[in-house]
Amino acid sequence: MEKISVFNNLTRSKEEFKPIDSNLIRFYSCGPTTYDFLHVGNARAAVVADLFHRTLKAFGYNVKFVRNFTDVDDKILETARKRGIHPKQHADEFIRECLQDYECLGMLPASATPTVSESMPEIIQMIQDLINKGYAYTVPKKDGSEEVLYNVPKFADYGKLSKIKLDSLQHGIRVETDAQKKNPSDFVLWKPAKPEEGWSWDSPWGKGRPGWHIECSAMAKKHLGNTIDLHHGGVDLMFPHHENEIAQSEAANGCPFCNNWCHNEFVNFGSEKMSKSLGNVITIRKFTETFSGAILRHVVLAVHYRSKLDWTEDSISKAIGELERIHEFVIHLFGEQKSGAADAGELLKVQKALVDIRHEMANDFNVPGAMGIFFGVIKDYNRLSKNGVDAQYVSAVIEIVNFMKDATGMVHDYPEEILSQLNIARKHLSGTSDTGDAEIETLLAERKTARDTKNWAKSDEIRNRLTELGVVVKDNPDGTYTWSFK
Ligand SMILES: [Zn+2]
């Protein structure tokens, strides 16, 4: 089997990927908190996890891929309370929306998608194990319930992933120390329920709910066992979330938790002033409805997962152009073509291209490297097919297309449909069919009238709506105004 290397953040180096079982990869990725529609920034973590999943499968591995949904969380409780519905109803609604987004992004289904609420027995058991082994302690509360905290200095390896030294950490957060914590860096495993929260579980420490970090340790153990091969999340999760997962799992299970930690970089929204045509497209849903899931997937994967991704009109426009080149070629390749004489040199070249593409994908999932070679193949094919190509050459090219499709998900079925999506997307990008802009213009005019007639309540209401659309309005002393996208 192909040698795969990944950049492992435990060692901060690229290493040969060696799964514990030669033919099964145990892979966990931290999923979203389902309190609202996902942001386009969340799309990167989701699609990168899908890339790992697909590439490993394309290399012939069986992959057990677990991605959780955090359905118990402060924001979920708060939003459900405002809506006057049960938190589970609210969280489940957004789990369904999230799965719809994932499908639209062309993601393969995970092997398991556990939720916190369904994993409560395993979470409580792990907290109990940590108390029994002396890594966690309880703090009594006035109402007789107890909070459970993880005793961070007790875990000697703390900081091994994030490379954060415990001493500096203890010092850094001294100011906001909770008096009942033994150490400033200790974190919550179980917190007592508040009556207004409306969702809690019985536990040995009274009614309550888990802290955030423990869920991933418990779910990974439940679905994948004590030691896993690969753990992924956004780079923002490395500390404290992943560091705390290691502390919990290794203390509770008495063995290493995960051999390879991979993190994707951020989506950078700040490098360019948000353009007009993108300014109000903030959620995956809005983006995929306005543009398409294939475009978003392409934007996200066109940049290596460990590089920053700039969210600009340019990156979207580039993705549209690349998708067009790929799918026009695919239509041609699978359609009728002129047959020609065999050319041994060209055949060798395309066979080598497949080897090189596989090599790039095995090299820390290097999509840009593989894409570069793929575009070379497309160029050669377009040139050669004018005079005719032989069947062996065509089947070698098809083999490349199939590998790119399996490993990256950036070559799509129904290429004609993709091309028509691209045409619509181009119109949106040039602003010729952007209804969002018309709404903004109307709101700005209505706000001006409200201000001129000193109807401040109305003017504030419109400003709030504009803020939701990502528009910032600045009033000048002379009664005029300017506006921009956030
Ligand atoms: Zn997690």
Side-chain angles (χ1 to χ4, degrees):
M1 201 166 283
E2 210 111 358
K3 219 189 231 181
I4 295 175
S5 64
V6 299
F7 190 90
N8 183 1
N9 268 314
L10 262 186
T11 57
R12 295 286 196 273
S13 63
K14 212 186 268 183
E15 292 174 353
E16 189 184 338
F17 183 72
K18 290 180 183 150
I20 303 158
D21 289 343
S22 58
N23 191 34
L24 175 71
I25 292 170
R26 296 170 176 86
F27 171 28
Y28 186 94
S29 176
C30 293
T33 302
T34 52
Y35 69 98
D36 201 347
F37 283 100
L38 297 185
H39 195 269
V40 289
N42 304 123
R44 191 170 196 192
V47 170
V48 165
D50 183 62
L51 172 74
F52 294 176
H53 185 201
R54 277 174 175 276
T55 303
L56 295 169
K57 276 172 76 103
F59 280 121
Y61 284 103
N62 290 316
V63 184
K64 190 157 187 207
F65 171 40
V66 177
R67 184 188 47 234
N68 69 304
F69 285 116
T70 300
D71 65 344
V72 179
D73 170 85
D74 286 344
K75 284 186 219 128
I76 293 171
L77 298 174
E78 198 188 309
T79 324
R81 193 160 59 240
K82 280 185 195 152
R83 291 181 68 190
I85 59 172
H86 193 277
K88 181 164 170 48
Q89 191 188 336
H90 180 74
D92 284 351
E93 205 175 287
F94 282 97
I95 288 175
R96 285 193 296 274
E97 300 292 3
C98 181
L99 287 170
Q100 194 183 319
D101 287 344
Y102 285 175
E103 207 185 319
C104 186
L105 289 169
M107 289 166 54
L108 296 181
S111 319
T113 51
T115 62
V116 180
S117 63
E118 74 185 25
S119 311
M120 220 43 89
E122 291 80 12
I123 290 172
I124 290 170
Q125 184 59 54
M126 192 175 257
I127 296 173
Q128 189 61 60
D129 290 347
L130 288 168
I131 295 173
N132 294 347
K133 292 185 175 183
Y135 287 95
Y137 59 95
T138 58
V139 171
K141 296 287 168 186
K142 280 185 202 123
D143 64 357
S145 64
E146 289 173 306
E147 184 176 52
V148 186
L149 292 162
Y150 190 99
N151 189 345
V152 169
K154 183 91 201 307
F155 183 69
D157 274 347
Y158 197 82
K160 71 175 171 181
L161 174 65
S162 59
K163 317 297 175 204
I164 287 174
K165 293 249 181 326
L166 194 54
D167 287 353
S168 65
L169 188 64
Q170 300 281 47
H171 185 71
I173 53 176
R174 191 151 293 164
V175 267
E176 42 187 311
T177 299
D178 177 338
Q180 290 177 301
K181 276 187 184 179
K182 285 186 182 169
N183 316 285
S185 56
D186 293 352
F187 59 90
V188 176
L189 296 170
W190 187 263
K191 49 184 155 194
K194 290 182 191 140
E196 71 275 14
E197 287 174 347
W199 204 14
S200 63
W201 289 262
D202 287 321
S203 81
W205 319 286
K207 273 195 180 306
R209 61 189 168 101
W212 172 34
H213 313 296
I214 192 71
E215 64 183 64
C216 291
S217 286
M219 288 187 242
K221 181 184 168 89
K222 180 179 180 182
H223 295 274
L224 299 170
N226 286 350
T227 305
I228 66 174
D229 298 300
L230 178 61
H231 196 309
H232 159 261
V235 70
D236 52 322
L237 295 185
M238 197 189 300
F239 184 84
H241 184 55
H242 290 162
E243 197 67 63
N244 292 350
E245 282 187 36
I246 293 173
Q248 294 161 160
S249 294
E250 299 198 349
N253 303 331
C255 60
F257 173 42
C258 174
N259 294 332
N260 296 278
W261 287 85
C262 296
H263 298 89
N264 64 273
E265 260 298 338
F266 291 122
V267 176
N268 186 10
F269 293 93
S271 68
E272 186 183 88
K273 213 174 82 174
M274 194 61 87
S275 62
K276 250 187 148 189
S277 54
L278 294 178
N280 53 357
V281 182
I282 304 286
T283 60
I284 294 178
R285 184 62 52 86
K286 190 86 196 275
F287 186 93
T288 55
E289 280 172 0
T290 313
F291 295 92
S292 80
I295 295 173
L296 184 50
R297 181 179 185 91
H298 200 98
V299 171
V300 165
L301 291 183
V303 172
H304 190 267
Y305 77 93
R306 283 191 291 114
S307 302
K308 284 205 172 64
L309 165 65
D310 289 325
W311 184 252
T312 61
E313 257 186 20
D314 265 4
S315 53
I316 291 157
S317 167
K318 192 166 167 256
I320 292 172
E322 293 191 350
L323 279 165
E324 186 173 58
R325 266 159 77 197
I326 293 170
H327 293 90
E328 279 176 349
F329 149 78
V330 168
I331 290 172
H332 194 183
L333 179 68
F334 289 94
E336 251 182 71
Q337 48 196 323
K338 215 169 161 184
S339 67
D343 181 329
E346 292 295 346
L347 182 63
L348 266 179
K349 194 177 169 194
V350 76
Q351 283 166 340
K352 184 175 180 303
L354 177 60
V355 174
D356 291 346
I357 284 174
R358 290 178 68 98
H359 181 75
E360 291 297 342
M361 291 307 292
N363 176 16
D364 198 25
F365 312 98
N366 187 6
V367 176
M371 265 295 161
I373 301 166
F374 185 44
F375 280 120
V377 171
I378 293 176
K379 206 174 151 194
D380 286 346
Y381 172 84
N382 289 342
R383 175 175 51 84
L384 295 168
S385 61
K386 280 183 196 138
N387 297 323
V389 278
D390 74 304
Q392 208 184 351
Y393 177 80
V394 171
S395 62
V397 176
I398 289 176
E399 208 181 327
I400 291 178
V401 170
N402 287 338
F403 179 77
M404 286 302 283
K405 187 172 149 185
D406 293 345
T408 69
M410 294 160 88
V411 181
H412 303 268
D413 293 330
Y414 312 110
E416 290 87 356
E417 202 176 293
I418 294 287
L419 292 180
S420 79
Q421 286 173 9
L422 299 178
N423 281 333
I424 297 167
R426 275 211 177 90
K427 280 185 195 147
H428 279 293
L429 210 54
S430 63
T432 49
S433 71
D434 198 344
T435 48
D437 286 354
E439 187 188 356
I440 290 164
E441 299 294 345
T442 312
L443 287 168
L444 286 166
E446 283 175 2
R447 183 173 168 279
K448 172 97 172 66
T449 312
R451 285 180 66 84
D452 289 345
T453 55
K454 301 201 181 331
N455 187 348
W456 306 120
K458 177 86 182 158
S459 135
D460 284 349
E461 189 190 311
I462 298 170
R463 179 188 280 267
N464 290 342
R465 174 67 191 134
L466 286 164
T467 308
E468 282 173 29
L469 294 172
V471 172
V472 185
V473 193
K474 225 186 208 169
D475 291 299
N476 303 317
D478 63 359
T480 61
Y481 65 88
T482 55
W483 70 278
S484 60
F485 281 104
K486 257 191 293 206

